[in-house]
Amino acid sequence: MLTVAEIETLAERVDDAERKARAITKITDDFPTMTWEDAYAVQDRLRQRKLGRGEQVGGLKMGFTSLAKMEQMGVHEPIHGFVTAHGRLNEGDTLSCAGLIHPRVEAEIAFVLKSELVGPDCDIAAVIAATDYVTPALEVIDSRYENFRFDLTSVIADNTSAARYVVGKARHSLAGLDRVNLEVVVEKNGAVVARDTGAAVMGDPAQAVAALANMLARTGKTIPAGTLVMTGGVTEAVGVAPGDRLVVRYAGWGDLVLNIAA
Ligand code: OOG
Ligand code: MG
């Protein structure tokens, strides 16, 4: 177990790396015995630091919910984090790479809740009942670790690499929506670079929302009504550079476009 002082030191280390956009070595190199609880304690401390500066939580996120993401990063379990309103982009906005280290973009499906979700026995039926609408979303991740090299505890402490996110304008009700067979195709500069369906996300993206409620229940937390929940990258993340144009085609939903400023 880390001490309170060590938790503070590590939260400051990842926070500084983000604010200076300067990569650091993964924190488990210095604290190899860190546990999951320690890692989430660092993430909580990081959240307090951000809130203390006037930032606001814009939503919650799951990570590593698809095999493609797990294999890309060499990890095998879902994790959770938060996004801050400061990092929110709206559909049509251009992404600036200023302040980012090595951004990658993920195609995601986001849920917005109309009522609270409580674990530890949250299931897909409960998620469906609590969902206001679903929307296409992109997440821009930017690990604070050199070369995106980390283990689960390091990436949890680094708030699951969260940096920016784009929420689509379209709002779809779950009724009549085939979220499992929803096709998602990612194109970069006109070429298809990744594709899969909603099923890639834990068999059903609603399962990722249930899993979040169940993970939060371990520390007595819930997902409040009104929360935006990012369910995790459907495919592997795609590296982007200034001048790139990313188009994610959600079959039947339309496209989400992200231009990266030159
Ligand atoms: C961690 C973030 C994972 C997702 O959607 O799977 C994530 C990373 O890959 O750096 O946000
Ligand atoms: Mg993500």
Side-chain angles (χ1 to χ4, degrees):
M1 283 282 283
L2 296 181
T3 65
V4 172
E6 286 167 336
I7 289 166
E8 179 66 43
T9 301
L10 292 178
E12 188 177 352
R13 204 186 283 182
V14 287
D15 197 17
D16 279 355
E18 179 176 1
R19 298 178 79 186
K20 295 182 182 138
R22 197 175 304 146
I24 55 176
T25 54
K26 66 180 193 312
I27 60 182
T28 43
D29 288 352
D30 292 341
F31 295 88
T33 60
M34 244 179 99
T35 65
W36 271 54
E37 287 72 25
D38 291 329
Y40 279 111
V42 174
Q43 189 192 109
D44 282 344
R45 190 69 201 99
L46 179 66
R47 183 198 314 228
Q48 285 166 17
R49 291 175 68 94
K50 287 173 182 272
L51 296 182
R53 292 197 292 267
E55 292 189 38
Q56 282 166 353
V57 173
L60 300 181
K61 59 167 282 193
M62 285 291 279
F64 305 133
T65 50
S66 68
L67 205 58
K69 273 293 311 183
M70 290 194 249
E71 286 183 343
Q72 181 180 32
M73 304 317 297
V75 297
H76 303 97
E77 269 169 279
I79 58 176
H80 65 87
F82 63 93
V83 291
T84 60
H86 168 78
R88 180 176 171 129
L89 300 171
N90 292 308
E91 189 173 341
D93 287 353
T94 295
L95 172 73
S96 165
C97 291
L100 298 175
I101 303 165
H102 40 202
R104 294 181 179 177
V105 180
E106 301 175 321
E108 304 209 9
I109 297 162
F111 284 58
V112 175
L113 303 184
K114 61 185 172 201
S115 49
E116 182 186 38
L117 274 175
V118 182
D121 300 312
C122 186
D123 58 14
I124 289 176
V127 172
I128 291 171
T131 298
D132 187 3
Y133 61 90
V134 291
T135 180
L138 305 180
E139 186 179 16
V140 181
I141 54 170
D142 191 40
S143 176
R144 268 56 69 171
Y145 301 122
E146 288 168 354
N147 304 311
F148 262 90
R149 215 168 292 136
F150 50 62
D151 45 29
L152 272 176
T153 40
S154 292
V155 67
I156 291 166
D158 182 30
N159 188 25
T160 68
S161 310
R164 311 277 186 269
Y165 62 109
V166 185
V167 181
K169 287 192 191 109
R171 297 180 170 195
H172 301 277
S173 86
L174 276 179
L177 179 83
D178 189 354
R179 56 187 187 275
V180 170
N181 293 306
L182 176 77
E183 276 193 74
V184 179
V185 179
V186 184
E187 291 181 12
K188 185 165 109 173
N189 303 329
V192 173
V193 289
R195 65 191 310 154
D196 216 317
T197 62
V201 179
M202 299 183 101
D204 178 341
Q207 181 61 47
V209 183
L212 174 62
N214 294 335
M215 288 175 93
L216 290 175
R218 294 184 200 160
T219 47
K221 297 190 195 102
T222 65
I223 313 179
T227 303
L228 170 89
V229 181
M230 310 272 297
T231 58
V234 176
T235 74
E236 64 267 33
V238 176
V240 291
D244 281 345
R245 175 179 173 83
L246 223 95
V247 179
V248 181
R249 304 191 191 282
Y250 294 82
W253 283 13
D255 302 342
L256 208 45
V257 178
L258 184 64
N259 289 306
I260 323 298

